[in-house]
Each structure stands twice: as C-alpha cells, then as structure tokens.
Amino acid sequence: MSISVQSLLLSLLLSFALTTFAETHNYAFTVQEQAANRLCKNHRIVNVNGQFPGPTLDVQNGDSVAIKVTNASPYNLTIHWHGLRQLRNPWADGPAFVTQCPIRPGGSYTYKFTIQDQEGTLWWHAHSRWLRATVYGALVIRPKSGSSYPFPTPKVEFPVILGEWWDRKVISVLRQALFTGAAPNISDAITINGQPGDLFRCSSQGTTKLTVNKGDTVLLRVINAALNQQLFFSVANHKLTVVATDAIYTKQFTTNVIMVGPGQTTDVLLTADQQPGRYYMAARAYATAQNAPFDNTTATAILEYKSATTQPILPQLPFYNDTNTVTAFSNQIKSPGKVTVPTKIDENLFFTMGFGFFNCTPGPRCQGPNNTRFGASMNNVSFVLPNRVSLLQAYTQKIPNVYTPDFPPVPPLQFDYTGNVPRGLWQPVKGTRLYKLKFGSSVQIVLQDTSIFSTEDHPVHLHGYHFYIVGQGFGNFNPSRDTANFNLVDPPQRNTIDVPVGGWAAIRFVADNPGVWLMHCHIDTHLAWGFAMAFIVENGVGESETLLPPPSDLPKC
C-alpha cells in the first residue's frame, strides 16, 4: 500500500473515531427569580433551573455543547463560559454588549460551541451587571475516551464553588453604588456551594458536606465565583496537591493552603489519610486594598469520614493580607514540562491599571473620596460599554461611531506607578477604545498595578485565550532588569492572572483566535467602574483562521 493511501486511511479512521466518541450535549437553562433563605432571612435571588449554584455541565474534551438559555428573570442577561477558547466563535462567548446583546426578559438564545483541546475545571456565569453573584455553576471537561488524568484516578470528585452572599438584591447594591459614585456595600457572607456554613446563624442545616472513606483520594475542583474577593482555601489537617489551574495541568506540588482569585479555578488532590473524623473546608478573604472594607467572614463546608460524629476542626487560614503566602504559592505554579513560549514579540504592550476618580459637583451622586466618583481604568482609559449594539456586531458589520480602534499600547504618561502618583493623573478619560491585533501575531502584555487610591491585587481575565505568565514581581516593571528573569521554559498557562498588589505581571500569547475579546478585572466592582479593554483579532487566511458567521438567533439590542 502506498504511503499516501495509507495516510488517507489513517486520517479517515481518526476522523471516524473522533466523530464516534465526541458527543453533542443539549442543555436547557431557565433563568428565574426565586425565594432563598440564608442568614435567617428570606429574599429573592436569580438562579438557573431553581438551583443555586446552578447545574454542573459535565462533558468531554472534543464534545459539542448546545445550551438553550431562556430568560424568565426581570433583568437583561447573558451567560459566559469562562475559560473556554471558543475558537472562531466569539458569538458564544457571552459578555453583554461585547460579543452579543443581552437576552431580554422573556427571550432565549442557544449557545453552541465545541470544546477543542481543553480539559479540567472551568465554570460558567452571568456576564451582565452583577447577576453572576448567584448565576453560576461548574463546567467539568473530562479527558477524551481512552485518555486519562495525568495523575491516579481519584475515588471521589467534588466541585467546591466559592462565592459571596448579600442580604439584599445584588442589583440594588450595584444601583446604589453607581448612583452615589461610592464603593458598594460589601457582602454579608462568603459561601461554599451557596452555603455560608456552620459559623453563621441559621446556617448549620444547609452546610455543604462531603462524605469519604478512609484512604480515598479526592479531587476537589475549587472555583472562585465570588464577585469581588480573592479567597484563601484550606482543609483542616489535610495536605492539598495542586494538579491543575484554569483547566490546564500543572507541575504537582503540595501545600496547606491555596489562594484563588475571582474567575480562577484550582484542582487539588487530597488523601483521606487522617484519623476518621470531621474536618472543615474553609475559605476566607485575601484583601489587599489599604483601608478598604471587605467581607471578613469565614465560610465552611465539612469533609466527614463515614460514620464520624466528632466536632469539626477548623484549618489555620492565613491573615487577610498575607501577601508572602500568596507569592510563595503562585511562584510554585508551573507547566508540567517545557513549553513553547513566543519569543519573537510582534506586539509589546504595557498596560497600567487600577483606580481613578471622576471630579464632580458635590451632592448625592459624588460620595466617593473628597466628593468624587470612583472610577477604574487601563492606560488611563475608563472603558464604556456600548448600549445599542455589541462591539462584535459593530466590528463585523462595520457600524460606525460605536468604538475607536485606538486603545493606547502604552500609558499616555510615564510616572512612578506604584509610588506617590500626582493628583493630576487621578482622573481617567472615558472611552470605548479597542486594540487591533493581526492574526498570528505574538503578543506580550505587561500589566502594571498603580497606587492611585491604593494598590491592589487584581485578577485580570482575557476572554478567548489562555496565556503564559512569564514573569511577575513587585514595584514598577523594569524591562532591562526584569525581562532577563522571565521564565521561558515552564511558565504556567492561565486565563485569569492575579497581578500582585503594587506589582506587575508579564503574559504572552499568540493571537490565533479571531474576533472581539474582552480583557477585564474579574472584580465586578472594578469592571463596573471601567476596568476593561477589548482586542480585535483580525481574520487570518482561509476558513480555519476566519470568524464563523453569527447565529440566526443572536439576541437583538
């Protein structure tokens, strides 16, 4: 048999095998308001299919997914599949007014996508205003049939979704903050799988429990779905072995505590090797903004050995501002082996980011510091979402006066970013400015925290991509000194980078996914204040490098 015929047969067999094992999963999500009881109080929350957290999507690498979302809530709504590459398919990405107009009350939209070369733990959440406070769930992508985890198969798998709970409707909390210009009220409790746990009044009954047998290996899929808070997580008397972050396998290492930023996921293995008993899994804030209030509560769930009845033991969690523990933890996250990092950089970008203030006439709408309104920005641009058409539709249909493609590649002024910033630089400029990337270009972005109002650890999420974190540090980025220390051998890959408080992080990726892709802080307070920008990635050559056409049921504005 000639080599060409042989290779043709092989490719036909391979494509047959892939179509045989890849499945199409159909789901129906109904988003609605329902009564909920927490912290001794009743009020109404928006949830999916009457569940909080919402349903776990359990699929395999290579599967196709169709999720019909029906909006029976009183609010405009979209759903984002956080961390999915959505190759050539930003129409299914979800951020409101970026890749789609919202699904109006009474309307529906079917998100259709195929999972390509991704496995591990991701999640889904509402991506319109603050609805993701209660509209979220786990997205578990298993290896293809015939493949396995790069670690022993666990006996038990369990999603641990960390969140925040408000005693008021979250939309009211957001509206009040946007009206006054001040910081919003902090949450009333941290939650694990929607429950605050034993340490709160009226909460013992609903506390999340996981029952194990002695000797079991347990895979905890930890997701930070909190709206505004980085969180420490630990399990009393048990070591955690980190095996993946953001659905990408890592070099394994063992730790007592992990820190997960909003938007991030971390998979850990735990062996039930302790005296049979009951042990708290606990989560508490990592908070870095100086003098800013935060939710200082501790959420608990219970890991219980079968038949154990003892009082649960609490783990030792780090102090709320223990940046040393966070740095030591994040420095250990690496790719399992050598990876191919872009080294010839086509686009060298430098983005300052953080708080700002808008001057205004003293009154009820100017209740930020010194009669101002809080803002946030990247490169001094405070991002304004359009409201009559999505950015993706404006780009593909060439609709004028929606955005300008002139987002600055570097800050308009150089200054001591983490030092004493002159007052003249505190007010950003509002705008809908995007940055264009050629298909296939190699991109480096240095994300630089600033000390306007306060430095803070910011979780920055890039839609449609994952990227290599080649370096991070404290203070101002110094290209001549810091570039020499970049890790170009086994840097971790993520979709959400926690930029160190008062520091910087350098990321690299290849712009191989055409479309309009949002980059923003995953603290929703900061996003509402304008902490975002978006990339236009142009089409490449041929069908495989070109945007798919918009679906016929794409919601209209």
Side-chain angles (χ1 to χ4, degrees), residues 3 18 99 148 261 347 377 452:
I3 287 174
L18 287 175
T99 59
S148 60
E347 295 276 1
S377 68
I452 298 168

Side-chain angles (χ1 to χ4, degrees), residues 225-553:
L227 214 60
N228 295 322
Q229 195 59 68
Q230 285 88 344
L231 293 164
F232 288 117
F233 174 81
S234 187
V235 182
N237 291 19
H238 290 75
K239 294 267 191 213
L240 305 175
T241 299
V242 175
V243 293
T245 56
D246 292 1
I248 295 168
Y249 297 118
T250 62
K251 224 175 225 124
Q252 296 177 21
F253 66 94
T254 302
T255 178
N256 294 321
V257 65
I258 64 173
M259 196 286 285
V260 197
Q264 294 184 328
T265 70
T266 303
D267 290 1
V268 294
L269 287 176
L270 167 156
T271 306
D273 57 3
Q274 294 301 299
Q275 196 62 35
R278 300 170 83 230
Y279 300 87
Y280 277 127
M281 303 186 254
R284 189 166 79 193
Y286 168 54
T288 55
Q290 287 159 11
N291 305 319
F294 65 95
D295 183 339
N296 199 15
T297 61
T298 301
T300 55
I302 299 172
L303 175 79
E304 53 186 15
Y305 288 64
K306 224 175 195 155
S307 309
T309 54
T310 53
Q311 256 314 101
I313 302 163
L314 261 175
Q316 190 81 38
L317 283 162
F319 200 52
Y320 76 89
N321 60 358
D322 187 348
T323 295
N324 289 342
T325 291
V326 173
T327 306
F329 169 70
S330 56
N331 283 348
Q332 289 186 84
I333 302 171
K334 295 193 165 89
S335 288
K338 190 172 182 345
V339 289
T340 309
V341 186
T343 49
K344 184 187 163 294
I345 302 301
D346 303 305
E347 295 276 1
N348 206 340
L349 308 175
F350 185 85
F351 292 176
T352 54
M353 51 184 221
F355 300 111
F357 298 99
F358 291 103
N359 295 326
C360 59
T361 311
R365 299 190 67 104
C366 302
Q367 293 181 41
N370 303 318
N371 296 314
T372 60
R373 293 178 61 79
F374 264 110
S377 68
M378 299 179 81
N379 276 358
N380 207 46
V381 179
S382 190
F383 193 69
V384 179
L385 281 170
N387 57 15
R388 57 187 180 89
V389 66
S390 76
L391 293 170
L392 182 59
Q393 287 164 295
Y395 167 59
T396 54
Q397 295 167 26
K398 299 183 171 52
I399 300 169
N401 307 320
V402 177
Y403 68 86
T404 54
D406 59 352
F407 184 86
V410 294
L413 281 173
Q414 285 192 324
F415 56 97
D416 181 2
Y417 307 115
T418 53
N420 196 2
V421 182
R423 289 272 170 148
L425 299 176
W426 284 31
Q427 179 155 316
V429 177
K430 292 189 176 189
T432 309
R433 301 169 69 180
L434 278 58
Y435 192 87
K436 257 188 184 171
L437 295 170
K438 285 208 177 325
F439 186 93
S441 58
S442 294
V443 184
Q444 174 174 295
I445 311 172
V446 174
L447 297 161
Q448 173 70 60
D449 188 23
T450 58
S451 54
I452 298 168
F453 179 65
S454 171
T455 53
E456 185 168 354
D457 177 294
H458 292 283
V460 177
H461 172 47
L462 175 59
H463 288 234
Y465 285 87
H466 33 239
F467 45 75
Y468 290 108
I469 303 168
V470 294
Q472 45 193 332
F474 294 99
N476 297 337
F477 176 69
N478 179 328
S480 52
R481 179 193 64 217
D482 295 325
T483 308
N485 296 321
F486 280 179
N487 176 5
L488 303 178
V489 178
D490 58 357
Q493 253 188 309
R494 300 204 77 147
N495 64 57
T496 306
I497 163 73
D498 243 276
V499 179
V501 52
W504 56 271
I507 66 171
R508 289 184 182 183
F509 62 95
V510 175
D512 59 359
N513 193 8
V516 176
W517 303 106
L518 190 64
M519 186 178 205
H520 65 96
C521 182
H522 221 276
I523 291 174
D524 271 27
T525 298
H526 301 173
L527 174 57
W529 286 340
F531 190 149
M533 59 81 63
F535 289 105
I536 293 170
V537 179
E538 296 176 325
N539 283 332
V541 179
E543 191 185 355
S544 66
E545 297 179 358
T546 300
L547 261 177
L548 292 169
S552 57
D553 64 338

Side-chain angles (χ1 to χ4, degrees), residues 151-174:
F151 45 81
T153 304
K155 190 79 195 282
V156 181
E157 294 189 21
F158 192 68
V160 176
I161 312 182
L162 311 177
E164 282 176 286
W165 178 267
W166 274 262
D167 261 343
R168 291 170 58 201
K169 282 191 172 182
V170 290
I171 293 296
S172 304
V173 176
L174 175 63

Side-chain angles (χ1 to χ4, degrees), residues 84-101:
L84 272 185
R85 291 288 320 268
Q86 301 287 14
L87 292 167
R88 302 171 47 230
N89 186 25
W91 309 106
D93 191 43
F97 295 109
V98 178
T99 59
Q100 69 168 96
C101 296

Side-chain angles (χ1 to χ4, degrees), residues 29-233:
F29 277 13
T30 300
V31 184
Q32 62 212 348
E33 258 198 336
Q34 278 199 325
N37 184 297
R38 297 287 187 284
L39 310 180
C40 316
K41 289 183 185 170
N42 288 314
H43 77 90
R44 293 175 72 73
I45 63 168
V46 180
N47 66 20
V48 173
N49 296 356
Q51 296 170 237
F52 173 58
T56 294
L57 303 186
D58 200 320
V59 296
Q60 279 186 311
N61 183 4
D63 286 353
S64 293
V65 182
I67 302 148
K68 183 177 182 181
V69 177
T70 301
N71 184 6
S73 84
Y75 308 106
N76 283 345
L77 171 100
T78 65
I79 303 284
H80 169 52
W81 317 93
H82 185 110
L84 272 185
R85 291 288 320 268
Q86 301 287 14
L87 292 167
R88 302 171 47 230
N89 186 25
W91 309 106
D93 191 43
F97 295 109
V98 178
T99 59
Q100 69 168 96
C101 296
I103 308 165
R104 293 177 189 173
S108 67
Y109 175 46
T110 302
Y111 291 90
K112 293 179 178 171
F113 50 84
T114 300
I115 293 155
Q116 299 179 55
D117 297 325
Q118 288 188 264
E119 54 188 65
T121 305
L122 294 173
W123 64 300
W124 56 266
H125 61 80
H127 209 303
S128 36
R129 303 166 86 196
W130 271 23
L131 290 177
R132 81 169 178 86
T134 52
V135 178
Y136 59 76
L139 170 53
V140 174
I141 308 170
R142 303 188 178 282
K144 288 180 179 175
S145 301
S147 300
S148 60
Y149 300 129
F151 45 81
T153 304
K155 190 79 195 282
V156 181
E157 294 189 21
F158 192 68
V160 176
I161 312 182
L162 311 177
E164 282 176 286
W165 178 267
W166 274 262
D167 261 343
R168 291 170 58 201
K169 282 191 172 182
V170 290
I171 293 296
S172 304
V173 176
L174 175 63
R175 278 183 185 144
Q176 181 187 345
L178 293 179
F179 176 82
T180 63
N185 291 351
I186 58 169
S187 52
D188 296 287
I190 306 296
T191 56
I192 298 178
N193 292 356
Q195 294 288 345
D198 277 2
L199 308 185
F200 289 86
R201 292 179 307 129
C202 310
S203 302
S204 295
Q205 201 89 36
T207 299
T208 302
K209 295 184 177 70
L210 169 62
T211 306
V212 296
N213 292 305
K214 189 168 169 67
D216 281 353
T217 303
V218 182
L219 176 63
L220 298 178
R221 299 177 177 275
V222 185
I223 298 164
N224 186 348
L227 214 60
N228 295 322
Q229 195 59 68
Q230 285 88 344
L231 293 164
F232 288 117
F233 174 81

